[in-house]
Amino acid sequence: MNDYSIGIFDSGIGGLTVVKEIYIQFPKISTIYVGDTARVPYGNRSRETVIKFSSQIVEFLLKQNVQAIIVACSTATAQALPALEKKYAVPIFGVIEPAAITAAKQTKNNRIGVVGTQGTITSQKFNHFISQQNPIATTFSQACPLFVPLIEEGMLENDITTSAINYYFDSFIGNEFDTLILGCTHYPLITKAIQKKVGDTVRLINPGKELALSLHSEKNFTSNIKTNDKHKWFVTDAPDTFTKSANRFLQLQLNIKPEKINFD
Ligand code: DGL
């Protein structure tokens, strides 16, 4: 019998910030994680490519008999989720809609900022769900492509990261949003530095947390959860690098020993 009920995937390690939130909301959940570390980043790839890579991962997870899948990557959610939902019968959940709904409900001045990868921002998926929920809200978007490599280098609070934040935010904060969606799996790791830049009055939204909270009311998620606290990890490149980054990202001290798989 399959021990792992929920499949989770990301372009690499960033999805672990989502995993962390899932574990907080669903302790002892059993999961299979795929990090496509050989093909990261997805952030500036074409929609066709992101759909192709995401489909290969979903098919791999289905072969492991998972009962539901979480797309723990904003770019893959933005570019591929509708295509995946059409193609596969398994329930699939992404990180964009729950965060957009929370932001749209909580903004007081109806001005919402969104930061993410180029692919996520170009897709306008956050804007779409925000205006569905709150038609009078205005969404301001900013792609921040330098953030992912800086965060992967562990540069969470140094001068280089501060410069990159200034570079993207100096004019962006002029939009006076009171709510800001950190629309990329990596960005919650620089929450402190971003909060410092935008000021304490701006509420930051972490999509992984919003997704995890929203899953409590998804019956085809909750009814499929196995709670034997087992986790399996797969990567498409260097397992050791993943383990080191995983401990830094998750800060949960899990004993992660990923297995290498190949999609080519
Ligand atoms: N996981 C991606 C996201 O959330 C960031 C890294 C990448 O570009 O693949 O958009």
Side-chain angles (χ1 to χ4, degrees):
M1 213 180 85
N2 173 32
D3 281 334
Y4 312 93
S5 51
I6 306 296
I8 305 178
F9 76 90
D10 175 46
S11 55
I13 52 172
L16 296 177
T17 62
V18 181
V19 168
K20 189 175 176 183
E21 300 297 337
I22 303 278
Y23 289 176
I24 292 170
Q25 293 304 320
F26 301 95
K28 310 226 177 295
I29 188 176
S30 296
T31 59
I32 298 186
Y33 183 93
V34 177
D36 196 1
T37 47
R39 303 188 292 193
V40 68
Y42 284 8
N44 28 29
R45 290 185 185 271
S46 71
R47 190 164 156 263
E48 291 68 34
T49 301
V50 177
I51 292 173
K52 180 180 152 200
F53 291 175
S54 301
S55 301
Q56 288 173 324
I57 298 173
V58 167
E59 279 161 31
F60 172 81
L61 287 169
L62 290 175
K63 281 194 196 124
Q64 314 292 314
N65 287 321
V66 297
Q67 306 300 305
I69 292 176
I70 292 171
V71 185
C73 173
S74 300
T75 307
T77 302
Q79 305 278 42
L81 184 58
L84 299 176
E85 284 175 327
K86 240 188 235 161
K87 224 160 140 187
Y88 306 103
V90 65
I92 308 181
F93 304 93
V95 277
I96 291 184
E97 191 173 355
I101 291 174
T102 301
K105 281 184 181 164
Q106 292 187 353
T107 176
K108 298 238 168 12
N109 69 359
N110 292 310
R111 300 172 77 82
I112 298 169
V114 178
V115 283
T117 65
Q118 196 62 61
T120 299
I121 296 305
T122 308
S123 77
Q124 302 226 332
K125 281 283 150 62
F126 278 108
N127 313 43
H128 168 77
F129 289 113
I130 288 167
S131 59
Q132 244 183 22
Q133 180 68 36
N134 179 350
I136 61 164
T138 307
T139 304
F140 304 92
S141 309
Q142 176 66 52
C144 306
L146 288 174
F147 286 177
V148 166
L150 287 172
I151 293 166
E152 295 217 345
E153 282 300 315
M155 297 189 183
L156 307 185
E157 282 189 70
N158 70 9
D159 292 350
I160 302 174
T161 306
T162 305
S163 299
I165 292 174
N166 289 340
Y167 176 73
Y168 292 123
F169 277 76
D170 273 348
S171 59
F172 184 50
I173 47 176
N175 292 307
E176 296 183 342
F177 42 81
D178 68 355
T179 305
L180 174 68
I181 300 176
L182 303 179
C184 170
T185 51
H186 289 61
Y187 299 0
L189 289 165
I190 52 168
T191 295
K192 236 166 117 181
I194 293 177
Q195 189 81 69
K196 198 168 161 197
K197 178 69 183 173
V198 297
D200 285 342
T201 53
V202 176
R203 189 196 160 101
L204 303 190
I205 307 274
N206 173 353
K209 184 173 177 191
E210 298 308 322
L211 168 67
L213 287 168
S214 76
L215 289 172
H216 285 293
S217 48
E218 295 286 354
K219 237 187 150 170
N220 49 10
F221 182 82
T222 50
S223 61
N224 280 318
I225 289 178
K226 286 199 176 116
T227 53
N228 44 13
D229 201 9
K230 289 198 173 180
H231 306 286
K232 223 173 180 178
W233 308 88
F234 294 94
V235 291
T236 52
D237 202 356
D240 289 352
T241 311
F242 180 86
T243 303
K244 277 191 208 127
S245 307
N247 285 333
R248 196 174 71 224
F249 267 65
L250 271 180
Q251 294 156 348
L252 286 175
Q253 301 313 321
L254 289 180
N255 187 17
I256 295 175
K257 288 200 181 72
E259 200 177 300
K260 189 167 176 297
I261 51 172
N262 199 342
F263 290 118
D264 300 325

